[in-house]
Structures are given as C-alpha cells and as structure tokens.
Amino acid sequence: MNIAWSAIGSVAAISLGTIIVVAILFGLGTLGMSRYEKTRAQGGSASLTVVGTGVAFVACVAIGLFGLYLTVFR
C-alpha cells in the first residue's frame, strides 16, 4: 500500500487555508454587524456596512456549501 504524502499535505494545507479564510470572513461579518448597530444607534446611515456584512456572511455560506458539494458529489 502506497501513501501519497504530497496529496495528504496539499489537502491539509488547503483545509488550513480555508479555515483561516472562513474565520476571517466571519470575523469581518460580525465586526460589520457591530458597526452597523453602532451607526444606527447614532442616527446615521449604514448601507455600505450592511452590504459588506452580507457579502462576508454569504461568502462563508458559499464556502461551506462548496465543501459539502465536494464531499457529497465528488
């Protein structure tokens, strides 16, 4: 039985990178929500913050769904 160590290494590296990216995107999303609430409490408009927060969370969901797709259908 031969073990493809380079394949295991590349899967581990991609998994680690993906975890880091999702954590950063989720952190940016929660930071955006916090800034949105703060801006709305002060009476300002925070439409750009809402868009950025939405994009961050949608990207997290998209990455998660793509991972499920790879797991189930590949």
Side-chain angles (χ1 to χ4, degrees):
M1 179 165 93
N2 292 335
I3 297 175
W5 292 104
S6 61
I8 291 175
S10 67
V11 167
I14 290 171
S15 298
L16 180 64
T18 304
I19 290 168
I20 291 169
V21 167
V22 169
I24 289 171
L25 285 172
F26 191 81
L28 288 174
T30 55
L31 179 66
M33 284 178 49
S34 172
R35 289 189 179 172
Y36 170 75
E37 291 175 0
K38 187 176 183 181
T39 304
R40 293 299 291 168
Q42 294 173 351
S45 174
S47 58
L48 185 61
T49 306
V50 171
V51 172
T53 301
V55 168
F57 285 133
V58 166
C60 284
V61 170
I63 291 170
L65 290 176
F66 183 66
L68 285 173
Y69 166 76
L70 290 177
T71 303
V72 173
F73 296 112
R74 292 282 170 143

